[in-house]
Amino acid sequence: LNGSRHSSSSIQRTKVLVLGLRRSGKSSIQQVLFNNLPPKQSFYLEPTYRIVKTQIDTVVPLELWDTPGHATPESIGIPIGQFRSLIFVIDIRDLYNQPITKLVSFVTAAYQSNPDINIEVFVHKSEKLQEDDKIENFRHIQERVTDRLLDLAPEYENIQPNFYLTSIYDHSLHEAFSRVLHKLIDSLPYLEDMLNVFCANSQSPKAFLFDTKSRLYVATDASPVDTATHNLCCDYLEMLTSFGTLYKSTASTSRHSPPTTSEDPQLLSSNGASLTPSPTTSTGVPPQSSKKHPKEMFYPSAATSLHPSTPGTTLTYHEITSSLALLALVPTSVYEGRRGLLEYNVVFFREGVQEICDVEKETREGG
Amino acid sequence: MKKKVLLMGASGSGKTSMRSLIFSNNPASLTSRLGATIDVEQNHVRFLGDLILNLWDCGGQDSFMDSYLTTQRPTIFQQVGVMIYVFDAESHEPIKDMEYYRDCLEGLRYFSPEAAIFILIHKMDLIREPQQLLDKRRQELQEVSGDVSIQLFGTTIFDQTLYKAWSSIVHTLIPNASILSKHLSIFAQACGATEVILFERTTFLVIATSSSGTGVASSAVPTYAKDGSDHQLEPTRYERTSELIKAFKYTCSRVREEFHTLELDLHDFSAVLDELTKNTYVLVILHDPTIETAAVKLNIRLARSKFETLQADSLN
Ligand SMILES: Nc1nc2c(ncn2[C@@H]2O[C@H](COP(=O)(O)OP(=O)(O)OP(=O)(O)O)[C@@H](O)[C@H]2O)c(=O)[nH]1
Ligand SMILES: Nc1nc2c(ncn2[C@@H]2O[C@H](COP(=O)(O)OP(=O)(O)O)[C@@H](O)[C@H]2O)c(=O)[nH]1
Ligand SMILES: [Mg+2]
């Protein structure tokens, strides 16, 4: 359907099983995240009668298995242990036994052969309830699940399901799925390290590496994720994507290929005294690039300044690869006064991420 | 300078909703909480420098309408600059709607014969065959309006059509918008820009563009750049820009930040969106890769005082 874009079939994909009673919202979740379905339109989705596998290309090539409501561990066709994660979707208003019984049957089936499997529980359609009821139902469902598992066998104490409140009508779904994705990224610690270094060197209080198309964040620095900041970055990315199509000229082809002269040092110095020229031109020695990426001349970028809180914050966007983008909050003083340093940090970060992606890709292709 | 703007139409047709989107930066999702407007809600909105819009949001329940057309008639219809008549596209009482419209038109003709008339067929998001409905309504309304000239738009609070309609509306209220356009196109040439667009600061409605002397009215026509190259741009770009920036402004306000400026350097074009005057924002679009956004920012700074003066003049 969607993820099949230029992906070789030989590539190894990480399998994720999506479970839940019928009408709990499984298909809606996937369509909204990966097919840009407007949430309101999910109302018209057809029920799922058979297992549907969708290939999704994020940093980790995924294979999502969408299941019908009546699926059992035996009807899946392969051992449940072969999945890296189970995502279980429960309607937040559904407090009865049925979904929990189903969840427990899958968890126990998986645990025998793969005790490390990730159990992710989406307590879904959360926007339907008021704040107090929402929290109460959420806690209630968590308790029921853990109690039921413990009742079955003491060893199930080791199973630690992760619970998330989600809704397709706000950013909670993106944030939850991002956290699901993080556990599947083997190189996550390296990405996080690089983001920490970037933040320290750029005086950035927060930076995210986003998968551009799905708007899931792939990694972030060590500072805690504040939901409001996460939402701001998601919306910014969405705005930039839409804006990018508006003023595209249908008559001319991409103005930045072949190589551009926009980084001509003469032009830069004639424009604004306060700007430090970017190090890629001023030093003449661009940071070393791996052989696989012939030095590309141009990567899109954007910045928006958020006023008026002193000293002021600028939200920056830098393309890192064709599918990844770095979004960072930086003090406006740094963005305006030390632009060269910032650009240098981005180039350094980009080289690192590209290298990691290359290694990952090689391993996947069984190289 | 004060301009009176009448917002009329049946109860529930969406008048207060659109007002809260355009002038208060509220999102569409919150409009379902609005209650019916009681009598007339008057608002003063400082629009451009000395131009103040005096908005009369007239509650549309029958009892109010009847009183507007009888005892309150002179008060309502005197000194009107623009009347915006809103029809619910899915109305269950089309005949009654039309009768009220005809009566309002008469009142306006008597007390403010010079007023411009805009008709919005609203909630178009609910309609399956939008073009068909618009054509039909246009014909009916033209007939009822006789020799009075009307401008008709299909709108919904869920997309850019609302911004297109309202940009046209405020455009009629800015006396010398064409002078602004002329100077914008001089500015565009100085920057090497494909296009320059001027927005009002709080509403982000389009005031003028460099592409034509007639401003927003020509946005349906593709733009050819001044430099002789053949850039052909998306026809709905102005209103979609308004919509996108408004939505982003709302996002920023939710984290207690305030949107200030934006610059982009993309594969296909680069752009700078920055304050021009106290009341306006300017968007400069560049397709020439040799031009730096930093140079454009400097040019904007240099053009500020010129446009402050122009803007003040254009209102007198
Ligand atoms: N589907 C849809 N609903 C809309 C649209 N615009 C407004 N509404 C809804 O219509 C309802 C009534 O809107 P109001 O703005 O209160 O209507 P009004 O014209 O001010 O009504 P009165 O004040 O009684 O005259 C609200 O629930 C809005 O959410 C639209 O474009 N599409
Ligand atoms: N209110 C609300 N409804 C949702 C949400 N997610 C899905 N739905 C609705 O739930 C219904 C069932 O969704 P669907 O994806 O077909 O469920 P599935 O059978 O589990 O695949 C649809 O009418 C969706 O519009 C949500 O977050 N909030
Ligand atoms: Mg109202």
Side-chain angles (χ1 to χ4, degrees):
Chain A
L1 234 165
N2 159 42
S4 53
R5 43 180 176 148
H6 61 74
S7 55
S8 57
S9 53
S10 63
I11 211 166
Q12 247 186 332
R13 291 185 171 272
T14 301
K15 291 190 177 61
V16 173
L17 186 60
V18 184
L19 298 162
L21 297 189
R22 62 177 291 274
R23 311 284 303 158
S24 56
K26 303 179 291 296
S27 307
S28 310
I29 286 174
Q30 293 163 70
Q31 293 296 318
V32 168
L33 282 177
F34 301 113
N35 243 347
N36 279 325
L37 182 79
K40 272 183 158 183
Q41 305 261 323
S42 67
F43 186 73
Y44 303 104
L45 286 176
E46 295 281 319
T48 313
Y49 295 110
R50 289 174 301 127
I51 291 175
V52 179
K53 302 173 198 171
T54 314
Q55 304 195 331
I56 311 242
D57 289 314
T58 63
V59 229
V60 188
L62 296 179
E63 189 170 274
L64 290 188
W65 290 41
D66 190 8
T67 59
H70 54 74
T72 61
E74 295 72 36
S75 72
I76 298 300
I78 63 169
I80 307 302
Q82 288 190 15
F83 293 92
R84 279 282 296 276
S85 300
L86 302 187
I87 297 177
F88 204 96
V89 184
I90 298 182
D91 187 322
I92 190 163
R93 296 157 305 172
D94 196 351
L95 292 176
Y96 304 99
N97 264 325
Q98 216 188 347
I100 294 178
T101 306
K102 181 171 165 136
L103 168 64
V104 167
S105 74
F106 272 93
V107 171
T108 51
Y111 186 73
Q112 312 303 330
S113 57
N114 180 5
D116 293 328
I117 195 163
N118 300 304
I119 311 294
E120 317 280 11
V121 184
F122 284 12
V123 179
H124 194 55
K125 308 193 190 181
S126 62
E127 97 288 347
K128 288 226 165 177
L129 296 185
Q130 296 293 316
E131 203 57 31
D132 289 351
D133 296 341
K134 194 182 336 193
I135 301 301
E136 182 168 332
N137 282 18
F138 186 57
R139 197 174 305 138
H140 201 92
I141 289 173
Q142 285 188 39
E143 275 169 14
R144 302 269 302 257
V145 171
T146 19
D147 288 354
R148 282 285 293 279
L149 283 170
L150 274 180
D151 283 352
L152 281 175
E155 59 165 329
Y156 290 149
E157 192 188 23
N158 300 325
I159 304 176
Q160 297 282 342
N162 306 295
F163 293 88
Y164 311 85
L165 275 167
T166 58
S167 164
I168 52 173
Y169 289 100
D170 56 42
H171 293 299
S172 58
L173 179 62
H174 277 86
E175 195 173 346
F177 207 96
S178 295
R179 292 178 191 273
V180 168
L181 186 63
H182 296 166
K183 304 195 191 83
L184 306 176
I185 303 172
D186 297 329
S187 53
L188 187 68
Y190 306 106
L191 294 173
E192 287 176 341
D193 276 350
M194 285 195 306
L195 281 158
N196 287 333
V197 170
F198 174 84
C199 285
N201 290 344
S202 314
Q203 294 176 40
S204 163
K206 193 73 204 157
F208 292 96
L209 183 64
F210 267 94
D211 180 67
T212 320
K213 191 159 181 283
S214 63
R215 275 177 273 124
L216 297 173
Y217 72 94
V218 162
T220 185
D221 66 292
S223 70
V225 176
D226 156 52
T227 301
T229 309
H230 167 263
N231 297 354
L232 176 69
C233 291
C234 270
D235 284 342
Y236 183 47
L237 197 55
E238 188 176 12
M239 191 263 278
L240 290 177
T241 311
S242 310
F243 207 99
T245 61
L246 286 187
Y247 293 90
K248 198 164 152 174
S249 166
T250 50
S252 69
T253 46
S254 174
R255 64 192 188 118
H256 280 290
S257 55
T260 159
T261 51
S262 77
E263 285 185 316
D264 185 335
Q266 270 182 339
L267 259 175
L268 257 178
S269 53
S270 68
N271 287 334
S274 67
L275 279 189
T276 324
S278 128
T280 49
T281 57
S282 64
T283 64
V285 191
Q288 63 177 64
S289 56
S290 73
K291 297 244 161 42
K292 284 205 145 181
H293 294 279
K295 174 98 180 84
E296 282 183 51
M297 292 301 288
F298 180 81
Y299 288 93
S301 63
T304 182
S305 76
L306 306 174
H307 190 70
S309 55
T310 35
T313 303
T314 294
L315 179 52
T316 62
Y317 160 95
H318 286 94
E319 188 176 297
I320 299 300
T321 70
S322 57
S323 59
L324 295 175
L326 173 69
L327 273 79
L329 289 172
V330 292
T332 299
S333 55
V334 170
Y335 180 76
E336 281 178 356
R338 310 186 64 191
R339 183 78 165 272
L341 171 80
L342 189 70
E343 298 292 330
Y344 178 80
N345 293 340
V346 171
V347 171
F348 189 78
F349 178 79
R350 179 181 293 129
E351 298 289 336
V353 172
Q354 290 185 347
E355 224 160 273
I356 290 177
C357 289
D358 287 344
V359 173
E360 285 248 336
K361 196 158 167 253
E362 248 164 57
T363 343
R364 293 259 169 196
E365 281 164 355
Chain B
M1 187 172 39
K2 215 156 147 182
K3 297 271 187 172
K4 179 171 164 186
V5 177
L6 278 187
L7 253 176
M8 303 280 269
S11 182
S13 58
K15 302 178 292 296
T16 309
S17 301
M18 57 176 80
R19 177 165 68 96
S20 86
L21 247 79
I22 298 281
F23 295 100
S24 312
N25 200 19
N26 286 326
S29 56
L30 288 187
T31 60
S32 52
R33 298 183 190 170
L34 291 170
T37 306
I38 304 305
D39 207 12
V40 180
E41 255 180 48
Q42 270 201 56
N43 263 286
H44 291 268
V45 185
R46 182 174 286 280
F47 190 74
L48 251 190
D50 293 331
L51 175 61
I52 291 169
L53 300 187
N54 184 12
L55 278 178
W56 291 44
D57 179 354
C58 306
Q61 295 175 53
D62 288 358
S63 57
F64 301 134
M65 287 300 266
D66 292 338
S67 120
Y68 305 149
L69 293 166
T70 53
T71 47
Q72 286 184 284
R73 196 158 175 252
T75 325
I76 296 283
F77 294 103
Q78 246 163 33
Q79 290 183 311
V80 175
V82 174
M83 176 170 82
I84 302 162
Y85 207 97
V86 183
F87 287 93
D88 184 338
E90 271 208 323
S91 170
H92 301 297
E93 300 171 305
I95 297 174
K96 193 175 84 186
D97 290 349
M98 203 55 109
E99 266 164 24
Y100 274 131
Y101 168 71
R102 189 179 298 148
D103 292 344
C104 286
L105 198 64
E106 215 156 87
L108 198 65
R109 251 173 162 175
Y110 187 80
F111 289 99
S112 304
E114 300 290 305
I117 297 166
F118 284 85
I119 292 175
L120 308 187
I121 311 296
H122 192 59
K123 306 195 187 179
M124 288 302 286
D125 57 296
L126 303 173
I127 304 299
R128 268 182 188 276
E129 304 268 3
Q131 196 52 52
Q132 217 165 305
L133 180 84
L134 278 184
D135 290 344
K136 185 163 159 262
R137 287 280 182 280
R138 191 187 307 275
Q139 206 189 344
E140 290 168 3
L141 283 157
Q142 203 81 64
E143 237 161 74
V144 172
S145 311
D147 52 357
V148 178
S149 91
I150 53 167
Q151 285 185 266
L152 182 141
F153 292 86
T155 56
T156 155
I157 53 173
F158 295 106
D159 70 23
Q160 75 278 358
T161 51
L162 191 65
Y163 292 93
K164 186 181 171 72
W166 277 85
S167 279
S168 292
I169 290 167
V170 298
H171 196 258
T172 60
L173 297 173
I174 304 167
N176 291 318
S178 61
I179 297 180
L180 285 174
S181 286
K182 204 176 80 199
H183 283 87
L184 282 180
S185 80
I186 296 170
F187 181 66
Q189 251 156 358
C191 291
T194 316
E195 184 167 46
V196 175
I197 302 151
L198 193 67
F199 297 94
E200 195 278 328
R201 185 192 182 98
T202 44
T203 57
F204 255 86
L205 295 171
V206 177
I207 293 171
T209 74
S210 65
S211 303
S212 65
T214 51
V216 288
S218 72
S219 76
V221 192
T223 302
Y224 296 94
K226 297 272 181 264
D227 56 12
S229 60
D230 52 352
H231 295 298
Q232 212 171 336
L233 304 177
E234 169 69 41
T236 59
R237 64 194 177 283
Y238 302 146
E239 52 268 25
R240 285 179 63 194
T241 303
S242 301
E243 190 204 4
L244 279 176
I245 301 296
K246 279 300 276 283
F248 189 60
K249 277 179 77 166
Y250 176 70
T251 302
C252 293
S253 71
R254 300 241 305 189
V255 287
R256 271 178 245 96
E257 297 280 7
E258 192 184 304
F259 171 78
H260 187 44
T261 67
L262 175 67
E263 56 180 285
L264 310 166
D265 203 359
L266 306 181
H267 278 293
D268 302 297
F269 67 94
S270 48
V272 177
L273 178 62
D274 201 349
E275 285 177 298
L276 184 61
T277 64
K278 278 199 301 292
N279 314 101
T280 60
Y281 261 76
V282 71
L283 175 64
V284 179
I285 302 291
L286 305 162
H287 284 88
D288 179 348
T290 62
I291 297 167
E292 283 287 325
T293 50
V296 171
K297 286 205 284 199
L298 192 67
N299 278 337
I300 292 175
R301 218 170 302 151
L302 294 174
R304 258 175 206 153
S305 60
K306 172 80 184 162
F307 275 91
E308 288 284 7
T309 326
L310 268 178
Q311 199 183 292
D313 291 349
S314 74
L315 293 176
N316 298 324

